[in-house]
Amino acid sequence: MLEAIGGRSFEEREATEDEALGAARRTSEVSRLLDRLTATQTVELRERYGLGWKRLADAVRGTPDAQSSIRRKYQSGLRYLGRTDSGRTDA
């Protein structure tokens, strides 16, 4: 499933077109799953541990300046969890 992450190109692996398309599809599926996990973890970090936006942005995005991005990730996480608003009063 993660063959494309290994760093070898389709040419190096001598992949057929169908194999390359399948690998790209599987990589995309893994990416979506990881994005969903990151979003739901962001909700849990915010609500369970009370982390602020700046700390969350630094942990998840690698920079404390990505606060608007992490807020969007949080909102996505709420949607994935089937919720419309947070369990916090200051979200």
Side-chain angles (χ1 to χ4, degrees), residues 1-39:
M1 181 178 281
L2 298 177
E3 62 269 307
I5 295 175
R8 292 178 54 206
S9 69
F10 295 134
E11 183 177 2
E12 290 171 327
R13 288 185 279 147
E14 298 181 6
T16 66
E17 183 177 311
D18 285 341
E19 290 169 338
L21 289 170
R25 183 174 34 261
R26 289 186 296 278
T27 301
S28 179
E29 289 169 6
V30 169
S31 175
R32 281 192 299 274
L33 289 171
L34 290 173
D35 185 62
R36 182 178 181 144
L37 180 59
T38 302

Side-chain angles (χ1 to χ4, degrees), residues 35-74:
D35 185 62
R36 182 178 181 144
L37 180 59
T38 302
T40 57
Q41 286 177 341
T42 298
V43 171
E44 188 168 11
L45 287 166
R46 174 86 172 145
E47 294 182 358
R48 180 180 173 100
Y49 300 105
L51 298 183
W53 297 119
K54 192 175 214 175
R55 186 150 183 221
L56 275 168
D58 192 31
V60 175
R61 295 289 191 210
T63 176
D65 297 327
Q67 293 176 54
S68 61
S69 171
I70 207 65
R71 283 186 174 107
R72 287 189 303 272
K73 181 65 65 181
Y74 176 81

Side-chain angles (χ1 to χ4, degrees), residues 73-89:
K73 181 65 65 181
Y74 176 81
Q75 291 299 320
S76 292
L78 290 175
R79 285 191 300 276
Y80 284 131
L81 294 169
R83 296 169 45 194
T84 57
D85 62 15
S86 75
R88 293 175 53 103
T89 58

